[in-house]
Amino acid sequence: MLGSRPFVARALQVRQLPWPGSRSHQFYSTTASRGLRSRRWQRTAFGAALTVGACGYTVYNYDTAYLVAASVYRSSVAANVTCQVAWDYYRNFPELPAEGSVSEDERRAIQDQRSKVHVRAAEKVKRALMKNGGVYIKLGQHISAMQYVLPMEWCQTMQALQDRNTASSLDEIGQVIALDTGKTVDELFSVFDAEPIGVASLAQVHRAVLRETGEEVAVKVQHPMVRTYSDIDIATVSVMFEFIHSVFPDFKFMWLSAEMKGSLPRELDFCNDKINAEQVQWNFAQHADIPLTVPRMIQATERVLIMEYVNGRRCDDLAYLRQHNIDPSQVSREIGRVFAEMTYVQGFLHCDPHPGNLFVRPRAQGSASHGYNFDLVLLDHGLYRQLPSQFRYEYAEMWYALMRGDQAQIKHWSRKLSGTDLYQLFSVILTGHNWSTIETKSLGSTSAAEFNLDALTQQQPDLFQNITEVLASVPPVLLLVLKTNDLLRMVDQRLFADQPPAVQHHAQLRTWLRISHYCLIAIRDARAAEISHRPAAVPLARVYRLVLNRLGFWFSDTALSVYKALLVVQDMFVRWQALFRRSTIA
């Protein structure tokens, strides 16, 4: 049986080893030990070769390996805080009961609990954003500007990110300059301040002096790793938002990550800054009465921008304004004029007007054609949007309807702009005032009630869901316009922070009047264009309609001007009263 299966027989044979001590045994032992050592050396050599190869690959591809490790770490930080916040809200965030269903004490306790969860979650997210930096700081700054959309606890917590950015080292800045311009810092500049004069989430600015011309300049340099991480960071933010939405279906803020995905590549290319700044200079070249200054752009690459150095301070630095006898109300008015002109007339809008991007530069009274003792310096020209003419017309009609309190027109234009039937909520988001103020046609009166998100939440438990529905429905261009509105409101609030309440009310009224004036211009021009392109059987009929359109604008605008003059007189009277009281007390 075994003979028929020889390989089994051989496998079952017992191998006869030599007797210990015999010559054949010694030979066998020597041969076996040599074979064992040979195999050990082979394994050691293979392990060493593998180690050296891995180290060599890592060294040769150091940037890729470092990028992968750093990206995994940054993503894990974002994922960790997302899970923590989602779990905190899931476990500890109570539903707000309907009015009258619980006692006032119980209702206050629930509101306190909700507020604590908001603060705790916002602090966790802020720490994570600061740890990752770059794009994440930009996300936090977006959140801080959404005061009429998100809970106040989140906005107030994230406002700290407007000024808390980590500076890159001088060596890192020098490397970016050398790579992008082909010249070292010493070759380009005779003076280059080591300490940056401003640090933002994407870049920092240094004062320098050009070696060739001796001109004092500001040099904006992108942080070295921002562009490297931008794609993975945006992808992580998108996944993070999708995860939150899967846990909380009412969370519909995916548009925020989509907006960042569209805006960030433009902001990361400083050549766009140069193009946008030159476009704004051209747009305002014929407006000698507006004290706007845009620094002259000298040279731009993707990560380095060299521009004219303009001295000044943030527009909300009230102590600096007082030191130079600059009237905050004039600063507020001219900022409003600049952005109203951009929004309703030119259609080329700077979408990041926080106080760090709006400087005031003192100058001698009467030394410029505009007649003011200051210039407005507009900085950071990376984020702009071109507003289509049809959008400007519909937006102007919406605002004009809000000023008149015309509910039928508000509903019509709200539907056109937002794509939803939530016209009351859309109006509240747009104006920053309660619906009762708009409904009673009090938006342009001193009795206008300020928007209170907490009070509105008590009245409408599904408010947050409705807000996210509105924002998820509006076109992307309107989202940036809303953000710009919120930032401008914040600037106005800071400029009048130390003024009597009556003066603050008058400042708000002048803002509404200014908006109405520019809305009328946009509506007049749109209707004139429509009349001009509409076929007319009788040529004089077209002329007649154009004249009526112009006269209608003139009558309405004249009424606004008279009201504005009346407010100026009232404002002066209130200031004199306040000064008289102070002198009497003293």
Side-chain angles (χ1 to χ4, degrees):
M1 186 71 178
L2 292 175
S4 62
R5 300 177 64 183
F7 66 94
V8 176
R10 286 196 297 272
L12 294 176
Q13 287 177 356
V14 178
R15 188 172 183 179
Q16 300 296 319
L17 296 179
W19 188 260
S22 64
R23 294 176 62 86
S24 59
H25 177 268
Q26 293 174 2
F27 173 78
Y28 178 82
S29 300
T30 303
T31 304
S33 63
R34 285 175 180 171
L36 183 60
R37 286 197 299 269
S38 175
R39 286 194 296 274
R40 285 176 179 170
W41 274 108
Q42 287 174 0
R43 286 196 295 270
T44 303
F46 177 76
L50 188 63
T51 303
V52 170
C55 292
Y57 177 84
T58 302
V59 171
Y60 186 76
N61 297 278
Y62 173 78
D63 290 341
T64 303
Y66 177 80
L67 176 61
V68 170
S71 298
V72 169
Y73 171 75
R74 293 164 69 83
S75 301
S76 67
V77 170
N80 181 44
V81 74
T82 301
C83 292
Q84 287 184 28
V85 169
W87 181 251
D88 197 2
Y89 272 103
Y90 179 75
R91 287 293 302 273
N92 303 314
F93 194 69
E95 291 289 334
L96 193 64
E99 275 293 342
S101 60
V102 296
S103 67
E104 282 301 315
D105 290 341
E106 289 175 324
R107 191 175 186 83
R108 274 195 295 270
I110 292 173
Q111 289 170 350
D112 289 343
Q113 174 67 12
R114 289 164 64 96
S115 180
K116 287 176 182 176
V117 174
H118 282 321
V119 171
R120 191 163 60 237
E123 285 290 344
K124 288 178 182 178
V125 171
K126 185 187 77 173
R127 288 195 294 269
L129 298 181
M130 292 178 68
K131 185 180 291 186
N132 279 349
V135 174
Y136 290 93
I137 296 288
K138 199 74 176 174
L139 173 63
Q141 291 172 350
H142 273 284
I143 293 172
S144 72
M146 301 166 69
Q147 298 180 34
Y148 299 94
V149 175
L150 294 177
M152 190 55 63
E153 293 89 346
W154 277 85
C155 298
Q156 290 175 346
T157 301
M158 295 301 166
Q159 279 180 5
L161 298 179
Q162 294 287 358
D163 300 311
R164 291 188 188 177
N165 297 287
T166 304
S168 298
S169 69
L170 194 58
D171 288 340
E172 291 173 326
I173 292 301
Q175 289 173 8
V176 172
I177 291 174
L179 286 172
D180 270 46
T181 65
K183 294 182 178 181
T184 65
V185 171
D186 290 337
E187 289 173 334
L188 281 171
F189 310 105
S190 57
V191 175
F192 191 89
D193 289 353
E195 191 70 23
I197 57 177
V199 181
S201 56
L202 304 182
Q204 62 193 58
V205 180
H206 292 258
R207 191 194 71 85
V209 176
L210 287 175
R211 185 171 292 279
E212 287 187 2
T213 64
E215 181 181 359
E216 189 176 21
V217 294
V219 186
K220 180 180 177 181
V221 186
Q222 194 173 113
H223 297 306
M225 299 306 292
V226 166
R227 183 182 294 272
T228 306
Y229 292 136
S230 61
D231 291 339
I232 187 67
D233 285 349
I234 293 173
T236 302
V237 169
S238 300
V239 171
M240 179 174 66
F241 278 25
E242 289 288 351
F243 170 75
I244 297 174
H245 176 58
S246 67
V247 178
F248 303 104
D250 291 344
F251 183 93
K252 299 176 182 178
F253 280 89
M254 283 76 71
W255 55 266
L256 187 54
S257 61
E259 175 53 41
M260 290 183 64
K261 189 182 296 185
S263 299
L264 198 62
R266 303 180 196 178
E267 292 188 77
L268 290 175
D269 186 352
F270 290 170
C271 293
N272 289 323
D273 283 56
K274 185 174 185 292
I275 294 170
N276 293 336
E278 290 169 349
Q279 179 66 52
V280 172
Q281 283 180 317
W282 189 87
N283 287 349
F284 282 90
Q286 304 303 318
H287 293 275
D289 58 325
I290 297 179
L292 180 67
T293 294
V294 176
R296 179 173 52 86
M297 302 292 146
I298 298 171
Q299 180 182 347
T301 66
E302 284 192 351
R303 296 189 297 170
V304 179
L305 178 65
I306 303 174
M307 69 193 99
E308 168 194 9
Y309 180 81
V310 179
N311 195 18
R313 297 284 281 275
R314 287 168 54 120
C315 66
D316 61 346
D317 189 338
L318 297 179
Y320 181 77
L321 298 183
R322 281 194 294 268
Q323 179 186 348
H324 293 88
N325 297 315
I326 296 172
D327 187 352
S329 65
Q330 290 185 344
V331 174
S332 168
R333 181 173 66 245
E334 296 310 310
I335 289 174
R337 287 181 66 198
V338 167
F339 282 89
E341 188 76 29
M342 287 180 172
T343 304
Y344 298 102
V345 181
Q346 299 168 359
F348 190 62
L349 180 63
H350 186 299
C351 295
D352 199 17
H354 62 79
N357 288 338
L358 288 166
F359 273 36
V360 172
R361 176 178 64 179
R363 64 184 307 153
Q365 186 78 45
S367 61
S369 57
H370 51 67
Y372 294 101
N373 65 337
F374 66 90
D375 287 327
L376 284 175
V377 184
L378 187 60
L379 303 172
D380 194 357
H381 299 273
L383 185 58
Y384 276 78
R385 278 296 181 274
Q386 190 75 48
L387 309 181
S389 57
Q390 183 63 27
F391 170 83
R392 298 202 309 272
Y393 169 66
E394 292 174 358
Y395 188 65
E397 287 279 17
M398 176 68 188
W399 263 109
Y400 196 49
L402 288 167
M403 295 300 301
R404 302 193 315 274
D406 187 336
Q407 292 193 47
Q409 287 295 300
I410 291 172
K411 189 173 182 178
H412 172 75
W413 294 111
S414 175
R415 182 78 175 113
K416 295 273 285 186
L417 281 170
S418 69
T420 72
D421 293 322
L422 299 170
Y423 66 94
Q424 295 183 8
L425 184 58
F426 181 64
S427 302
V428 168
I429 294 172
L430 200 59
T431 63
H433 282 270
N434 292 324
W435 173 250
S436 59
T437 301
I438 302 166
E439 186 180 27
T440 56
K441 305 180 181 181
S442 303
L443 197 58
S445 73
T446 54
S447 61
E450 287 291 334
F451 172 68
N452 188 319
L453 185 63
D454 294 333
L456 209 57
T457 304
Q458 294 177 26
Q459 299 167 12
Q460 303 179 27
D462 58 349
L463 176 68
F464 185 73
Q465 178 182 353
N466 290 338
I467 288 176
T468 57
E469 182 179 339
V470 169
L471 295 179
S473 303
V474 301
V477 67
L478 182 54
L479 292 170
L480 278 178
V481 172
L482 292 174
K483 175 199 168 189
T484 303
N485 282 349
D486 284 348
L487 287 171
L488 291 173
R489 273 196 285 260
M490 179 183 68
V491 170
D492 247 9
Q493 289 169 2
R494 294 184 180 181
L495 282 170
F496 291 95
D498 62 349
Q499 295 296 317
V503 175
Q504 294 180 17
H505 281 308
H506 290 174
Q508 182 66 77
L509 288 176
R510 282 193 292 272
T511 298
W512 300 135
L513 294 174
R514 184 169 53 248
I515 289 173
S516 298
H517 167 71
Y518 279 96
C519 286
L520 287 171
I521 292 176
I523 294 168
R524 178 201 66 191
D525 292 347
R527 289 178 179 174
E530 182 187 359
I531 292 169
S532 299
H533 289 90
R534 186 189 305 166
V538 181
L540 285 177
R542 177 180 296 161
V543 175
Y544 174 71
R545 287 196 294 267
L546 287 171
V547 170
L548 283 181
N549 179 52
R550 177 71 64 168
L551 284 174
F553 164 77
W554 184 83
F555 280 122
S556 298
D557 200 47
T558 301
L560 292 177
S561 300
V562 171
Y563 188 27
K564 192 186 303 181
L566 179 62
L567 286 176
V568 171
V569 173
Q570 291 179 344
D571 200 15
M572 291 173 59
F573 181 70
V574 170
R575 288 171 186 263
W576 288 338
Q577 278 186 323
L579 287 173
F580 178 74
R581 289 196 192 99
R582 289 175 192 168
S583 61
T584 303
I585 294 172

